[in-house]
Every structure is written in structure tokens, then in C-alpha cells.
Amino acid sequence: MSISIIVAFITGVLGPLIVLFIKNKLDKKAEKPDMVLETLKVSELIMTKMEHIKDVFKSDRVWVTQFHNGGNFYPTGKSMAKFSILYEVVGVGVSSVQGNFHNIPVNLFSRSINELLENDVIEISDYKDETIATFGLKYIAEDTGCKSGYLFAIKTIEGKFIGTLGLDFTKRKTKLDIESINHLQQHSASIGGVLMTHLNQ
């Protein structure tokens, strides 16, 4: 076999295959989203939505928690369920609570988390009213200066509980009507959609 036949074979048959192989490799790399850019986009979407919620419902603090694993139990090695406040917006003169809620074991808030898991909403129009169930949140409200609070389960389309949307009223007691509660549940579902889109990328 002459060299010219070998060269013709390589350039005519193998050449296009090599080009396709390299192109496919480059395309696969190009399809991979930039993790930092995607995180910033999601954060901007959620923060904008939270600012809107704060303004429309005149709350003083709006926050979103997400569940995550965090460490392992000794000696079983089983993963611990924890949550953290990942997003928060506050009004003028209102203190942030985000720094106090990182890697919190779920079992420390089992009453309130169970309530959200079963009923999707916790409505506490007055933390000092003894007739209103506070699901173990009263001492947190006292520490954070919260007079009224509303919590909404953030769930996936499949119903998986992935976090919480919270509204705190620190300057005045506030009773939200059923229309507002329904509207906030829609916001919670929308935030869940944004989070799941990001987590599935």
C-alpha cells in the first residue's frame, strides 16, 4: 500500500470522524452551565421576588430556608437533615436573622416543620396571644423581635418538602386575610420552581 493511499484514507475517512469526535467533545463542554453564573441568576430571581413580597405585604423581614445534609451521625454514618436561611431581605432598621440560622438540625424545629409538612402554612398573627399555636417558635420570635409571623412550605411539583418561605412582622402585629395567604402560597410554589430548576441543572 502506497503512502499516498494511506494519506488519502486518513484524510478522506478518518479526518471527518476525528473532526466530529472533537466537535462533540467541545459541544458537551459548552452545554455545561457555569455554576457561579447560574447561582447568581437564581439568587437575583429569588431576591427580587422576596423584595416584592416584602413590599406588597408590608412585612419587615422575608427569608427562605432550604433543607440540606450536614455531617453524619456517629456511629451509623447516616446523614443529618439540616436547614439554613439562604436568602433574606429586611426593611430599614430591621435586624437580619440569616447569620443565626446556618446548619440547624431539623429535629430542633420538629413541631413547626411537621406542621408545614402536613398543612403547608403556619399563621401566627400575635406571638403573645396564648390561644394561637406557635409550634415551638415563640422563643425565636422573642429573640428576633417578631410580633407576627407566617411560614409557608416550599415544595416541589412532586410534593417534596425542600424549604420554607417566612414573613416576619417586627414593628406591628399583622393578621393576613385568606386571599393574602393564598397569594403567598403561590409565591412559595413559584420559589420552589426556581430552586428546583437550579438544583436540577
Side-chain angles (χ1 to χ4, degrees), residues 6-22:
I6 293 171
V7 170
F9 176 75
I10 290 172
T11 57
V13 176
L14 293 180
L17 291 175
I18 291 170
V19 169
L20 280 173
F21 177 77
I22 292 170

Side-chain angles (χ1 to χ4, degrees), residues 50 62-67 83-87 112-113 116 120 122 150-155 161-167 188 191 195:
M50 290 169 59
V62 179
W63 44 267
V64 169
T65 66
Q66 277 186 268
F67 296 114
F83 71 89
S84 297
I85 293 181
L86 295 184
Y87 306 96
S112 56
I113 291 172
L116 288 169
D120 295 331
I122 293 177
Y150 296 84
L151 287 76
F152 301 85
I154 297 174
K155 295 184 177 179
F161 190 16
I162 61 169
T164 307
L165 167 66
L167 282 77
S188 179
I191 290 171
L195 291 173

Side-chain angles (χ1 to χ4, degrees), residues 92-112:
V92 177
V94 178
S95 62
S96 169
V97 297
Q98 186 173 17
N100 299 332
F101 291 91
H102 281 283
N103 293 317
I104 306 297
V106 167
N107 64 298
L108 294 179
F109 290 87
S110 59
R111 288 180 59 210
S112 56

